[in-house]
Amino acid sequence: MTTKTFGYIVGGDDKYYINLMRSLKSLEERVKDKYEVLVIDMDGRFYTDESNIKVVNESVNKINNDGDELNRNWLQPHIWAKRYELYKHVETDYCFYLDVDTVLINDRTNELINESEDQFMLAQHWWVPTLNSFLSNVRVNLSKVRPFLPPTGAEYFYGASGCFLFKKESHDHIFKKYREIYDEIHGDGSAPMNVTDELILCLSFNQFDDWKFTSGAFNHTAHPKSMPLIKENGIWMGKNLYEDEYKPVFVFHSSYEYLHTLESEHLEEIKKEMYWEEYHP
């Protein structure tokens, strides 16, 4: 039988730990087969006595971000980088990395593993599907990034890092490439403006052939204005704007503290699916 882990990185403010508890609840209620959970805790605040949850306590030096106050508060590359180190601790055949502010909606784990064909798999970004579109829409300090940009005329595809699937020992090279680029950019303890983990991930996986995109429904914002969303025969179905086919939503990706602000005709149903009343202070 195929074994699987759901992996998380947590640290920082209380809200991240609250979101984690919400996400774990969705796994407990909606995943049908046996599964493991791996949590890398950057602040040593998460405790559980559940036998299927493994906690790895780690720490890292905080990186000083440049840019304005919003950028400094939001950009946390030293924490985000840890999601690409889950592979060091995973003991199962496959691992689904999930941001803590995701909630599993439809248990498609086995279907997605089959779809991956043992390739590194993620969704294409809903807003900036290519590197060029990201660089055209976001002001980025490229001073340390330029050596890793694609050759003139080549295009890199841009993925959403909040949810991805990898097979144990099959994609270590992608994660090692990520670390190589990360160290070149952040090795001096600085964080150039808007050099996010998604940007470094883009510069990493595009150098290889063993990756693929799945539907945007894999990692859905729960916001119909950014990603189309319908309910069909009681099942939430979503996609990216530029995709033709709706697929069952795997996770909704929206933090509990902002969920109630989404503009959606489905808002009350989405709040219920994402346990808003139970976890909103």
Side-chain angles (χ1 to χ4, degrees):
M1 182 180 70
T2 299
T3 56
K4 51 186 171 284
T5 293
F6 294 92
Y8 297 90
I9 311 300
V10 68
D13 296 341
D14 288 349
K15 64 183 179 182
Y16 299 110
Y17 289 87
I18 295 171
N19 276 316
L20 173 60
M21 297 304 297
R22 183 184 66 154
S23 191
L24 291 174
K25 181 180 177 67
S26 72
L27 301 184
E28 182 180 358
E29 291 193 347
R30 295 167 183 166
V31 177
K32 302 175 183 66
D33 295 339
K34 182 179 178 181
Y35 64 90
E36 304 293 321
V37 172
L38 171 61
V39 178
I40 296 181
D41 186 357
M42 304 300 292
D43 286 324
R45 298 173 57 195
F46 179 72
Y47 171 79
T48 179
D49 57 4
E50 295 292 337
S51 61
N52 69 326
I53 301 180
K54 175 182 178 181
V55 181
V56 176
N57 290 308
E58 293 194 4
S59 61
V60 67
N61 291 330
K62 186 173 182 179
I63 286 178
N64 297 315
N65 304 318
D66 67 10
D68 56 27
E69 188 66 26
L70 177 61
N71 185 67
R72 289 195 295 272
N73 290 336
W74 169 71
L75 197 62
Q76 301 291 328
H78 52 292
I79 293 180
W80 297 341
K82 287 295 178 178
R83 69 184 67 177
Y84 307 106
E85 297 184 13
L86 286 166
Y87 77 99
K88 298 178 180 180
H89 308 283
V90 168
E91 299 175 356
T92 56
D93 300 325
Y94 296 90
C95 179
F96 289 88
Y97 166 76
L98 300 177
D99 273 2
V100 293
D101 56 350
T102 59
V103 169
L104 190 138
I105 300 300
N106 294 301
D107 180 12
R108 300 178 57 208
T109 52
N110 293 329
E111 171 195 342
L112 290 164
I113 287 170
N114 289 334
E115 180 187 339
S116 75
E117 299 177 308
D118 292 344
Q119 298 189 75
F120 178 78
M121 192 168 78
L122 70 170
Q124 197 164 7
H125 201 284
W126 66 270
W127 177 51
V128 284
T130 65
L131 176 59
N132 281 338
S133 59
F134 174 76
L135 296 177
S136 297
N137 284 282
V138 179
R139 185 163 63 95
V140 182
N141 180 348
L142 292 175
S143 58
K144 295 182 179 180
V145 175
R146 286 192 179 91
F148 307 104
L149 295 176
T152 302
E155 179 65 284
Y156 275 4
F157 297 99
Y158 207 81
S161 67
C163 180
F164 57 78
L165 168 64
F166 65 93
K167 184 179 182 182
K168 181 176 173 62
E169 298 179 348
S170 293
H171 304 111
D172 297 7
H173 55 284
I174 293 177
F175 303 128
K176 290 176 180 178
K177 177 59 68 174
Y178 180 97
R179 188 71 210 189
E180 176 187 327
I181 299 174
Y182 176 93
D183 286 343
E184 289 293 326
I185 294 172
H186 300 297
D188 61 356
S190 67
M193 176 176 283
N194 289 328
V195 177
T196 64
D197 76 292
E198 285 183 333
L199 175 55
I200 300 177
L201 179 63
C202 167
L203 300 173
S204 302
F205 73 75
N206 275 279
Q207 297 191 37
F208 303 100
D209 295 324
D210 57 340
W211 64 271
K212 68 187 300 186
F213 283 140
T214 184
S215 165
F218 181 61
N219 180 12
H220 199 286
T221 62
H223 186 204
K225 290 193 174 182
S226 61
M227 298 180 74
L229 179 69
I230 60 174
K231 200 168 189 181
E232 188 175 275
N233 299 320
I235 298 174
W236 292 107
M237 307 284 287
K239 66 184 185 74
N240 279 318
L241 281 166
Y242 47 81
E243 294 170 344
D244 295 328
E245 185 180 1
Y246 282 89
K247 294 281 190 177
V249 170
F250 182 53
V251 300
F252 277 152
H253 193 165
S254 183
S255 186
Y256 79 91
E257 67 269 28
Y258 302 121
L259 175 61
H260 64 291
T261 67
L262 296 179
E263 297 179 24
S264 171
E265 62 182 298
H266 306 296
L267 180 58
E268 292 308 312
E269 289 183 277
I270 292 172
K271 285 165 63 176
K272 184 176 180 181
E273 295 276 15
M274 300 189 74
Y275 312 112
W276 187 80
E277 290 189 358
E278 296 172 57
Y279 288 94
H280 194 271

